[in-house]
Amino acid sequence: MATFTVNGQSVTVEKNQKLIRFLRDTLHLTSVKDGCSEGACGTCHVLIDGKPTKACIPQTDRLEGRTVLTVEGLSDWEKQVYTFAFGEAGAVQCGFCIPGMVISAKGLLDVNPDPTREEAAFAIRNNICRCTGYVKIIDGILLAAKIFREGKLPKASADDWKMGSRVHRLDVEEKVLGTGQYPDDVYVDGMCYGGAVRSRYARARVLSIDVSAAQALPGVVCVLTQKDIPGKVNVGHLKKDQPTLIGVGEITHYLGDSVALICARDQETLEAAKKLVKVEYEVLPAVHSPREAAAPDAPLVFEGDENNVQAYKHVSRGDADGAIKNAKYVLTQHFHTPWTEHAFLEPECCVALPLENGGVKLLTSDQSAHTTMHECAAMLGVDYDHCQVQNMLVGGGFGGKEDMSVQHHAALLAYVARVPVKVKLSRQESILVHPKRHSFDMDFTMGCDENGIIQGVKASVVSDTGAFASLGGPVLERACTHAAGPYAYENFEIEGRAYYTNNPPAGAFRGFGVTQTCFCTETLLNEMADLVGISPWEIRYRNAIRPGGVLPNGQIVDESTGLVETLEAIKPAYDEAVRSGDPVGIACAMKNAGVGVGIPDWGRCKLIVEDDGKVHIYSGASCIGQGLGTVLVQVVVTNTGLHRDDIVYERSNTWIAPDSGDTSGSRQTLVTGEATRRACEKLCAALEGKALRDLAGQEFYGEYLAKTDPLGADVPNPVSHVAYGYATQMCILDRETGRIKMLVAAHDVGKAVNPLSCEGQIEGGVVMSMGYALTEQYPIDDTCKPTARYGTLGLFRANQIPPEIQAIVVEKPGLKVAGGAIGIGEITSIPTAPAIADAYYRLDGQRRLTLPLENTPYAKKK
Ligand code: FES
């Protein structure tokens, strides 16, 4: 027992427990976010006697007489200042890390009111942010310091909400103060806790499951096995190959497969009950790699399949062999890129509430409420009235929250037990369960003429898609279609195979396969520039696709094509680095916005004038931290002339908001943005001569189909995607230390709806891919078990980023929809690794063809 002070109130805690559990579960101080519960992520920072401390470390019994402060306990003035400063700086994306950042900032500013940039970065070194790249969070802390010193709030730099304004995001306050709800922040009366008993072996036949002891444990509400599933057992994003629960007699696919689900009155009972479920297995040989999967006598990950090939793609145009044969210069290399963990700060969580009609309502954190509804309704065997989904705040996704992880389990438990159930993955489960970025092995050959003009590229790639299909097929396809790079040449051929293994599944991850093949094309191009005797900048400028040009996939690109402008934007800094003899590396990229390749890609939006006389935006499109809600409000302001205060953004749900597809493929700004613009046209027509209040109860619907041609369509110039973003990134090293001293990233976004958000996306993407290039690891042992913990993934910290990260937003008009706006969520992460790799080559002459790069000051010592 201990008595201490929390936010000025004395509390007595009878039962010794971690401070985080008391603050969250008893006091419901939800600014204290639970990102890992193992002292690695920093989201649960509080001040103890004025010192920033992770609340997941101290036990309450050790706190006698101490003083604890959370964001809820800040003064009103402090709350105003941090909200303004973080909004003005653009510091908030998904927001899950932000209250912890505020606490660390307060810990600094209370003792050092005028910190340097380095001191601010050092103060948040124990707070991981996966979205922002830290640049704007540090800006926010320095601005807060200035406001505290001056004692008054300045005017916001943008006060109109038209497209193009650097407005504060609409959800800044709730994210800074921790009042906005992620699913884990939901506490309802009688709420129980659910979780899964997972397989002990990556590949084994389940012989028996005995749940009797777990069922008999006091406090256990129910224990479910496969026979309790009323509808379809399997879920799966495209292919239904992922069992909600593995049944007796079936073979497991990976260590994350679930054999039983438990619902208990409290979290301790849940964990105790999991240990009481007895499962007998017949252990079978596992498939560890694509090489093993491809062997003629390989065990089959899926019984009944002919082989372990999950997807095969062949993309060909022109005559790559002939072009390479006749080329003056030819280069061939083998490349390898690793698995990557998304490491979003918010672990997967879902709260399922029983509905009076016998169904369930799910409060989720995912990349599409409608996809979750389709998956869970089929598993429960119910219609959509009996399976409703509401998006809560989403604490980062990056592709890792597209598949079912906890939603189907929460739905099943609440549906059967008729109690509210929260299912949340531990950080270690999260590291195991959600699909990762694919590891790729790639062979590339490139031929150029004497001027460095690309004549042809031929490649073959192999990916490890792990235990389930997930989005392995589309990722492989995008890897292949974009492997040619953003260049104008005609002869291209690539063959790709994705193999099932018993490793954790791989699926969508920011960049969607292009991150991998871009590393090859751009590295070869840098090597080719040396062979030809021109600069890496020049070889790109000569080959760059320009408006009206034809990409290797046959598509004629439109006026919005801005690759050349991104090259020109970085030229001054590039020339300066070359002049001063600094090692500098460069790479370009293109990335589709929208799903493309003939797949129906709908954006949908409903504008409803409600009784409050305001326009409410309903779209079934998840905002996962990229700022979609702010974008849509800006679209409505721009296209209706209404004031921002007349507009309310509603988070995605399945019963009012029309399905606008997954937040994937950098598509929402373009596709849902255009649907919203179309709804605005109808609203404007109705508004003529009327006030908003006169339209109360009316709905205005807009939809947009991003129409494209299928891969291999028999047309001379297929439209594979409605739009592409283009980028050039550059890395300059410090000759003495070998560390990065500057990263410059120029991105063509068409029209920047909110330039502040665009910069934040660029900075965040670049720092995420610095990790991919230099430090991040996701090792898997010979039992197919990922061995990393959150603290060993190799994520960059605030005090480790380069002194300068320059985000250049290039606007190239020409796209005829969505006001010309092209999403940039993914492309920000694509060219970083090859740019960094080339900078190291310029430093030491070692051509590095695998990631993370070896022999850099950032590399793990062996
Ligand atoms: Fe920092 Fe998302 S804003 S983790």
Side-chain angles (χ1 to χ4, degrees), residues 168-196:
H168 298 199
R169 289 208 186 178
L170 53 80
D171 48 11
V172 164
E173 182 174 343
E174 62 179 335
K175 287 178 171 175
V176 168
L177 303 184
T179 53
Q181 284 192 315
Y182 302 82
D184 193 28
D185 297 330
V186 174
Y187 289 88
V188 295
D189 288 345
M191 190 173 78
C192 296
Y193 294 84

PDB file of all heavy atoms in Angstrom, residues 168-196:
ATOM      1  N   HIS A 168      -3.584  24.300 -38.451  1.00  0.00           N
ATOM      2  CA  HIS A 168      -3.392  23.324 -37.375  1.00  0.00           C
ATOM      3  C   HIS A 168      -4.342  22.160 -37.642  1.00  0.00           C
ATOM      4  O   HIS A 168      -5.506  22.393 -37.984  1.00  0.00           O
ATOM      5  CB  HIS A 168      -3.749  23.924 -36.019  1.00  0.00           C
ATOM      6  CG  HIS A 168      -2.893  25.090 -35.616  1.00  0.00           C
ATOM      7  ND1 HIS A 168      -2.796  25.521 -34.317  1.00  0.00           N
ATOM      8  CD2 HIS A 168      -2.068  25.895 -36.344  1.00  0.00           C
ATOM      9  CE1 HIS A 168      -1.983  26.564 -34.257  1.00  0.00           C
ATOM     10  NE2 HIS A 168      -1.515  26.810 -35.468  1.00  0.00           N
ATOM     11  N   ARG A 169      -3.890  20.975 -37.429  1.00  0.00           N
ATOM     12  CA  ARG A 169      -4.800  19.838 -37.628  1.00  0.00           C
ATOM     13  C   ARG A 169      -5.985  19.914 -36.680  1.00  0.00           C
ATOM     14  O   ARG A 169      -5.841  20.363 -35.543  1.00  0.00           O
ATOM     15  CB  ARG A 169      -4.045  18.545 -37.381  1.00  0.00           C
ATOM     16  CG  ARG A 169      -3.056  18.282 -38.479  1.00  0.00           C
ATOM     17  CD  ARG A 169      -2.867  16.822 -38.594  1.00  0.00           C
ATOM     18  NE  ARG A 169      -1.824  16.532 -39.533  1.00  0.00           N
ATOM     19  CZ  ARG A 169      -1.423  15.297 -39.791  1.00  0.00           C
ATOM     20  NH1 ARG A 169      -1.964  14.287 -39.164  1.00  0.00           N
ATOM     21  NH2 ARG A 169      -0.480  15.078 -40.671  1.00  0.00           N
ATOM     22  N   LEU A 170      -7.121  19.419 -37.162  1.00  0.00           N
ATOM     23  CA  LEU A 170      -8.334  19.585 -36.367  1.00  0.00           C
ATOM     24  C   LEU A 170      -8.340  18.757 -35.083  1.00  0.00           C
ATOM     25  O   LEU A 170      -9.103  19.036 -34.159  1.00  0.00           O
ATOM     26  CB  LEU A 170      -9.578  19.288 -37.222  1.00  0.00           C
ATOM     27  CG  LEU A 170      -9.677  17.967 -37.983  1.00  0.00           C
ATOM     28  CD1 LEU A 170     -10.093  16.840 -37.082  1.00  0.00           C
ATOM     29  CD2 LEU A 170     -10.677  18.116 -39.121  1.00  0.00           C
ATOM     30  N   ASP A 171      -7.474  17.740 -35.012  1.00  0.00           N
ATOM     31  CA  ASP A 171      -7.499  16.897 -33.815  1.00  0.00           C
ATOM     32  C   ASP A 171      -6.296  17.157 -32.894  1.00  0.00           C
ATOM     33  O   ASP A 171      -5.969  16.344 -32.037  1.00  0.00           O
ATOM     34  CB  ASP A 171      -7.546  15.412 -34.205  1.00  0.00           C
ATOM     35  CG  ASP A 171      -6.502  15.048 -35.263  1.00  0.00           C
ATOM     36  OD1 ASP A 171      -5.613  15.889 -35.535  1.00  0.00           O
ATOM     37  OD2 ASP A 171      -6.579  13.935 -35.818  1.00  0.00           O
ATOM     38  N   VAL A 172      -5.663  18.317 -33.059  1.00  0.00           N
ATOM     39  CA  VAL A 172      -4.466  18.589 -32.261  1.00  0.00           C
ATOM     40  C   VAL A 172      -4.776  18.581 -30.766  1.00  0.00           C
ATOM     41  O   VAL A 172      -4.088  17.925 -29.978  1.00  0.00           O
ATOM     42  CB  VAL A 172      -3.846  19.953 -32.665  1.00  0.00           C
ATOM     43  CG1 VAL A 172      -2.865  20.435 -31.616  1.00  0.00           C
ATOM     44  CG2 VAL A 172      -3.114  19.817 -33.979  1.00  0.00           C
ATOM     45  N   GLU A 173      -5.821  19.289 -30.382  1.00  0.00           N
ATOM     46  CA  GLU A 173      -6.062  19.451 -28.943  1.00  0.00           C
ATOM     47  C   GLU A 173      -6.311  18.107 -28.252  1.00  0.00           C
ATOM     48  O   GLU A 173      -5.720  17.803 -27.225  1.00  0.00           O
ATOM     49  CB  GLU A 173      -7.250  20.390 -28.708  1.00  0.00           C
ATOM     50  CG  GLU A 173      -7.495  20.616 -27.223  1.00  0.00           C
ATOM     51  CD  GLU A 173      -8.573  21.644 -26.949  1.00  0.00           C
ATOM     52  OE1 GLU A 173      -8.904  22.414 -27.866  1.00  0.00           O
ATOM     53  OE2 GLU A 173      -9.075  21.665 -25.821  1.00  0.00           O
ATOM     54  N   GLU A 174      -7.168  17.292 -28.853  1.00  0.00           N
ATOM     55  CA  GLU A 174      -7.490  16.024 -28.184  1.00  0.00           C
ATOM     56  C   GLU A 174      -6.282  15.085 -28.150  1.00  0.00           C
ATOM     57  O   GLU A 174      -6.157  14.249 -27.253  1.00  0.00           O
ATOM     58  CB  GLU A 174      -8.687  15.341 -28.850  1.00  0.00           C
ATOM     59  CG  GLU A 174      -8.477  14.960 -30.301  1.00  0.00           C
ATOM     60  CD  GLU A 174      -9.689  14.267 -30.908  1.00  0.00           C
ATOM     61  OE1 GLU A 174     -10.479  13.657 -30.173  1.00  0.00           O
ATOM     62  OE2 GLU A 174      -9.834  14.330 -32.150  1.00  0.00           O
ATOM     63  N   LYS A 175      -5.373  15.257 -29.113  1.00  0.00           N
ATOM     64  CA  LYS A 175      -4.195  14.395 -29.113  1.00  0.00           C
ATOM     65  C   LYS A 175      -3.118  14.923 -28.164  1.00  0.00           C
ATOM     66  O   LYS A 175      -2.435  14.149 -27.502  1.00  0.00           O
ATOM     67  CB  LYS A 175      -3.655  14.246 -30.532  1.00  0.00           C
ATOM     68  CG  LYS A 175      -4.547  13.349 -31.403  1.00  0.00           C
ATOM     69  CD  LYS A 175      -4.072  13.224 -32.824  1.00  0.00           C
ATOM     70  CE  LYS A 175      -4.870  12.160 -33.581  1.00  0.00           C
ATOM     71  NZ  LYS A 175      -4.520  12.099 -35.008  1.00  0.00           N
ATOM     72  N   VAL A 176      -2.965  16.224 -28.086  1.00  0.00           N
ATOM     73  CA  VAL A 176      -1.969  16.800 -27.176  1.00  0.00           C
ATOM     74  C   VAL A 176      -2.386  16.559 -25.724  1.00  0.00           C
ATOM     75  O   VAL A 176      -1.569  16.198 -24.881  1.00  0.00           O
ATOM     76  CB  VAL A 176      -1.795  18.314 -27.444  1.00  0.00           C
ATOM     77  CG1 VAL A 176      -1.003  18.974 -26.325  1.00  0.00           C
ATOM     78  CG2 VAL A 176      -1.083  18.528 -28.781  1.00  0.00           C
ATOM     79  N   LEU A 177      -3.662  16.738 -25.450  1.00  0.00           N
ATOM     80  CA  LEU A 177      -4.119  16.642 -24.061  1.00  0.00           C
ATOM     81  C   LEU A 177      -4.526  15.230 -23.664  1.00  0.00           C
ATOM     82  O   LEU A 177      -4.827  14.971 -22.497  1.00  0.00           O
ATOM     83  CB  LEU A 177      -5.285  17.613 -23.831  1.00  0.00           C
ATOM     84  CG  LEU A 177      -4.981  19.082 -24.161  1.00  0.00           C
ATOM     85  CD1 LEU A 177      -6.161  19.967 -23.815  1.00  0.00           C
ATOM     86  CD2 LEU A 177      -3.723  19.558 -23.437  1.00  0.00           C
ATOM     87  N   GLY A 178      -4.558  14.331 -24.626  1.00  0.00           N
ATOM     88  CA  GLY A 178      -4.885  12.938 -24.299  1.00  0.00           C
ATOM     89  C   GLY A 178      -6.358  12.711 -24.063  1.00  0.00           C
ATOM     90  O   GLY A 178      -6.748  11.695 -23.481  1.00  0.00           O
ATOM     91  N   THR A 179      -7.207  13.644 -24.500  1.00  0.00           N
ATOM     92  CA  THR A 179      -8.649  13.458 -24.286  1.00  0.00           C
ATOM     93  C   THR A 179      -9.303  12.676 -25.421  1.00  0.00           C
ATOM     94  O   THR A 179     -10.393  12.129 -25.248  1.00  0.00           O
ATOM     95  CB  THR A 179      -9.355  14.823 -24.165  1.00  0.00           C
ATOM     96  OG1 THR A 179      -9.005  15.614 -25.313  1.00  0.00           O
ATOM     97  CG2 THR A 179      -8.915  15.559 -22.912  1.00  0.00           C
ATOM     98  N   GLY A 180      -8.668  12.645 -26.593  1.00  0.00           N
ATOM     99  CA  GLY A 180      -9.202  11.850 -27.703  1.00  0.00           C
ATOM    100  C   GLY A 180      -9.065  10.370 -27.383  1.00  0.00           C
ATOM    101  O   GLY A 180      -8.129   9.972 -26.695  1.00  0.00           O
ATOM    102  N   GLN A 181      -9.997   9.590 -27.895  1.00  0.00           N
ATOM    103  CA  GLN A 181      -9.988   8.170 -27.523  1.00  0.00           C
ATOM    104  C   GLN A 181      -9.460   7.257 -28.629  1.00  0.00           C
ATOM    105  O   GLN A 181     -10.001   7.228 -29.738  1.00  0.00           O
ATOM    106  CB  GLN A 181     -11.399   7.716 -27.154  1.00  0.00           C
ATOM    107  CG  GLN A 181     -11.840   8.186 -25.785  1.00  0.00           C
ATOM    108  CD  GLN A 181     -13.110   7.480 -25.351  1.00  0.00           C
ATOM    109  OE1 GLN A 181     -14.066   7.332 -26.137  1.00  0.00           O
ATOM    110  NE2 GLN A 181     -13.145   7.029 -24.114  1.00  0.00           N
ATOM    111  N   TYR A 182      -8.415   6.547 -28.312  1.00  0.00           N
ATOM    112  CA  TYR A 182      -8.020   5.356 -29.060  1.00  0.00           C
ATOM    113  C   TYR A 182      -8.805   4.209 -28.397  1.00  0.00           C
ATOM    114  O   TYR A 182      -9.286   4.366 -27.263  1.00  0.00           O
ATOM    115  CB  TYR A 182      -6.511   5.118 -28.935  1.00  0.00           C
ATOM    116  CG  TYR A 182      -5.680   6.302 -29.425  1.00  0.00           C
ATOM    117  CD1 TYR A 182      -5.447   7.398 -28.598  1.00  0.00           C
ATOM    118  CD2 TYR A 182      -5.161   6.327 -30.713  1.00  0.00           C
ATOM    119  CE1 TYR A 182      -4.719   8.491 -29.038  1.00  0.00           C
ATOM    120  CE2 TYR A 182      -4.425   7.422 -31.157  1.00  0.00           C
ATOM    121  CZ  TYR A 182      -4.202   8.500 -30.317  1.00  0.00           C
ATOM    122  OH  TYR A 182      -3.495   9.585 -30.762  1.00  0.00           O
ATOM    123  N   PRO A 183      -8.935   3.056 -29.038  1.00  0.00           N
ATOM    124  CA  PRO A 183      -9.766   2.007 -28.426  1.00  0.00           C
ATOM    125  C   PRO A 183      -9.351   1.662 -26.992  1.00  0.00           C
ATOM    126  O   PRO A 183     -10.204   1.427 -26.135  1.00  0.00           O
ATOM    127  CB  PRO A 183      -9.574   0.809 -29.361  1.00  0.00           C
ATOM    128  CG  PRO A 183      -9.244   1.407 -30.678  1.00  0.00           C
ATOM    129  CD  PRO A 183      -8.476   2.677 -30.391  1.00  0.00           C
ATOM    130  N   ASP A 184      -8.047   1.676 -26.729  1.00  0.00           N
ATOM    131  CA  ASP A 184      -7.601   1.292 -25.386  1.00  0.00           C
ATOM    132  C   ASP A 184      -8.025   2.316 -24.330  1.00  0.00           C
ATOM    133  O   ASP A 184      -7.960   2.032 -23.131  1.00  0.00           O
ATOM    134  CB  ASP A 184      -6.072   1.134 -25.383  1.00  0.00           C
ATOM    135  CG  ASP A 184      -5.563   0.446 -24.129  1.00  0.00           C
ATOM    136  OD1 ASP A 184      -6.327  -0.365 -23.545  1.00  0.00           O
ATOM    137  OD2 ASP A 184      -4.413   0.713 -23.720  1.00  0.00           O
ATOM    138  N   ASP A 185      -8.453   3.499 -24.766  1.00  0.00           N
ATOM    139  CA  ASP A 185      -8.889   4.518 -23.807  1.00  0.00           C
ATOM    140  C   ASP A 185     -10.351   4.356 -23.431  1.00  0.00           C
ATOM    141  O   ASP A 185     -10.883   5.131 -22.634  1.00  0.00           O
ATOM    142  CB  ASP A 185      -8.656   5.921 -24.391  1.00  0.00           C
ATOM    143  CG  ASP A 185      -7.179   6.186 -24.643  1.00  0.00           C
ATOM    144  OD1 ASP A 185      -6.345   5.621 -23.902  1.00  0.00           O
ATOM    145  OD2 ASP A 185      -6.853   6.930 -25.585  1.00  0.00           O
ATOM    146  N   VAL A 186     -11.010   3.373 -24.031  1.00  0.00           N
ATOM    147  CA  VAL A 186     -12.429   3.149 -23.733  1.00  0.00           C
ATOM    148  C   VAL A 186     -12.545   2.269 -22.485  1.00  0.00           C
ATOM    149  O   VAL A 186     -11.952   1.193 -22.413  1.00  0.00           O
ATOM    150  CB  VAL A 186     -13.124   2.452 -24.934  1.00  0.00           C
ATOM    151  CG1 VAL A 186     -14.569   2.079 -24.579  1.00  0.00           C
ATOM    152  CG2 VAL A 186     -13.077   3.351 -26.161  1.00  0.00           C
ATOM    153  N   TYR A 187     -13.268   2.770 -21.503  1.00  0.00           N
ATOM    154  CA  TYR A 187     -13.590   1.977 -20.314  1.00  0.00           C
ATOM    155  C   TYR A 187     -15.097   2.043 -20.133  1.00  0.00           C
ATOM    156  O   TYR A 187     -15.652   3.132 -20.018  1.00  0.00           O
ATOM    157  CB  TYR A 187     -12.896   2.550 -19.065  1.00  0.00           C
ATOM    158  CG  TYR A 187     -11.392   2.332 -19.061  1.00  0.00           C
ATOM    159  CD1 TYR A 187     -10.538   3.253 -19.653  1.00  0.00           C
ATOM    160  CD2 TYR A 187     -10.830   1.195 -18.482  1.00  0.00           C
ATOM    161  CE1 TYR A 187      -9.166   3.058 -19.669  1.00  0.00           C
ATOM    162  CE2 TYR A 187      -9.458   0.986 -18.489  1.00  0.00           C
ATOM    163  CZ  TYR A 187      -8.638   1.913 -19.083  1.00  0.00           C
ATOM    164  OH  TYR A 187      -7.274   1.707 -19.093  1.00  0.00           O
ATOM    165  N   VAL A 188     -15.772   0.920 -20.187  1.00  0.00           N
ATOM    166  CA  VAL A 188     -17.228   0.927 -19.984  1.00  0.00           C
ATOM    167  C   VAL A 188     -17.569  -0.025 -18.842  1.00  0.00           C
ATOM    168  O   VAL A 188     -16.794  -0.948 -18.527  1.00  0.00           O
ATOM    169  CB  VAL A 188     -18.003   0.497 -21.265  1.00  0.00           C
ATOM    170  CG1 VAL A 188     -17.788   1.498 -22.387  1.00  0.00           C
ATOM    171  CG2 VAL A 188     -17.596  -0.900 -21.717  1.00  0.00           C
ATOM    172  N   ASP A 189     -18.722   0.202 -18.228  1.00  0.00           N
ATOM    173  CA  ASP A 189     -19.129  -0.628 -17.086  1.00  0.00           C
ATOM    174  C   ASP A 189     -19.171  -2.103 -17.480  1.00  0.00           C
ATOM    175  O   ASP A 189     -19.689  -2.454 -18.534  1.00  0.00           O
ATOM    176  CB  ASP A 189     -20.530  -0.211 -16.601  1.00  0.00           C
ATOM    177  CG  ASP A 189     -20.472   1.126 -15.890  1.00  0.00           C
ATOM    178  OD1 ASP A 189     -19.357   1.555 -15.528  1.00  0.00           O
ATOM    179  OD2 ASP A 189     -21.543   1.740 -15.713  1.00  0.00           O
ATOM    180  N   GLY A 190     -18.626  -2.923 -16.628  1.00  0.00           N
ATOM    181  CA  GLY A 190     -18.683  -4.370 -16.854  1.00  0.00           C
ATOM    182  C   GLY A 190     -17.750  -4.855 -17.941  1.00  0.00           C
ATOM    183  O   GLY A 190     -17.865  -6.001 -18.406  1.00  0.00           O
ATOM    184  N   MET A 191     -16.808  -4.000 -18.352  1.00  0.00           N
ATOM    185  CA  MET A 191     -15.923  -4.407 -19.464  1.00  0.00           C
ATOM    186  C   MET A 191     -14.998  -5.565 -19.046  1.00  0.00           C
ATOM    187  O   MET A 191     -14.397  -5.532 -17.979  1.00  0.00           O
ATOM    188  CB  MET A 191     -15.069  -3.217 -19.924  1.00  0.00           C
ATOM    189  CG  MET A 191     -14.309  -3.487 -21.209  1.00  0.00           C
ATOM    190  SD  MET A 191     -13.500  -2.003 -21.806  1.00  0.00           S
ATOM    191  CE  MET A 191     -12.082  -1.956 -20.721  1.00  0.00           C
ATOM    192  N   CYS A 192     -14.934  -6.560 -19.909  1.00  0.00           N
ATOM    193  CA  CYS A 192     -14.051  -7.701 -19.663  1.00  0.00           C
ATOM    194  C   CYS A 192     -12.854  -7.619 -20.608  1.00  0.00           C
ATOM    195  O   CYS A 192     -12.810  -6.757 -21.496  1.00  0.00           O
ATOM    196  CB  CYS A 192     -14.810  -9.003 -19.904  1.00  0.00           C
ATOM    197  SG  CYS A 192     -16.174  -9.228 -18.751  1.00  0.00           S
ATOM    198  N   TYR A 193     -11.919  -8.511 -20.401  1.00  0.00           N
ATOM    199  CA  TYR A 193     -10.686  -8.501 -21.191  1.00  0.00           C
ATOM    200  C   TYR A 193     -10.546  -9.823 -21.936  1.00  0.00           C
ATOM    201  O   TYR A 193     -10.758 -10.896 -21.350  1.00  0.00           O
ATOM    202  CB  TYR A 193      -9.478  -8.252 -20.277  1.00  0.00           C
ATOM    203  CG  TYR A 193      -9.523  -6.856 -19.680  1.00  0.00           C
ATOM    204  CD1 TYR A 193     -10.266  -6.594 -18.527  1.00  0.00           C
ATOM    205  CD2 TYR A 193      -8.884  -5.793 -20.312  1.00  0.00           C
ATOM    206  CE1 TYR A 193     -10.354  -5.305 -18.003  1.00  0.00           C
ATOM    207  CE2 TYR A 193      -8.956  -4.502 -19.796  1.00  0.00           C
ATOM    208  CZ  TYR A 193      -9.690  -4.268 -18.645  1.00  0.00           C
ATOM    209  OH  TYR A 193      -9.779  -2.985 -18.144  1.00  0.00           O
ATOM    210  N   GLY A 194     -10.223  -9.707 -23.212  1.00  0.00           N
ATOM    211  CA  GLY A 194     -10.098 -10.916 -24.022  1.00  0.00           C
ATOM    212  C   GLY A 194      -8.698 -11.072 -24.577  1.00  0.00           C
ATOM    213  O   GLY A 194      -7.952 -10.093 -24.717  1.00  0.00           O
ATOM    214  N   GLY A 195      -8.357 -12.305 -24.899  1.00  0.00           N
ATOM    215  CA  GLY A 195      -7.049 -12.553 -25.491  1.00  0.00           C
ATOM    216  C   GLY A 195      -6.972 -13.956 -26.050  1.00  0.00           C
ATOM    217  O   GLY A 195      -7.870 -14.785 -25.823  1.00  0.00           O
ATOM    218  N   ALA A 196      -5.897 -14.214 -26.789  1.00  0.00           N
ATOM    219  CA  ALA A 196      -5.758 -15.488 -27.495  1.00  0.00           C
ATOM    220  C   ALA A 196      -4.660 -16.346 -26.885  1.00  0.00           C
ATOM    221  O   ALA A 196      -3.633 -15.833 -26.439  1.00  0.00           O
ATOM    222  CB  ALA A 196      -5.430 -15.221 -28.965  1.00  0.00           C
TER     223      ALA A 196
END
